[in-house]
Amino acid sequence: MLTVELQDMVAEVHGPEIAGEVFAAMTPEDALLVRAALGGGERVDDEDDEDDVDDEESGEDPEDADAAGEEEIARLQAEIESSRRSQAALERYLELLDR
């Protein structure tokens, strides 16, 4: 139990210094992604938020609904890719912390 308390104290005192060194060793883009994921920065969005409209309620024809479905698929694919980049940046961050 004492070891955990000691680790917590060291992390509290030296954490910002260690994080600064780790961020300096990362690419700026990765550092931004990690800061956002850890809650220390703004969220990184690849696309602007769009208003969600229910196609059935809007009275759009099926072709427009298909186009909207394709746009949603593209948006979700971009979101998945963004998540993968964030995950890769976090993995690099952890690797650098272990050094």
Side-chain angles (χ1 to χ4, degrees), residues 12-71:
E12 186 176 325
V13 172
H14 295 289
E17 177 184 330
I18 293 168
E21 291 174 8
V22 171
F23 287 135
M26 299 176 76
T27 65
E29 295 82 17
D30 283 351
L32 181 63
L33 289 170
V34 170
R35 282 188 178 106
L38 297 177
E42 293 184 22
R43 184 169 179 246
V44 180
D45 289 326
D46 290 334
E47 297 181 20
D48 295 331
D49 291 336
E50 297 179 13
D51 293 334
D52 293 331
V53 177
D54 189 351
D55 292 334
E56 292 177 16
E57 293 179 6
S58 68
E60 293 183 27
D61 65 36
E63 288 181 18
D64 288 341
D66 288 344
E70 290 175 12
E71 288 176 10

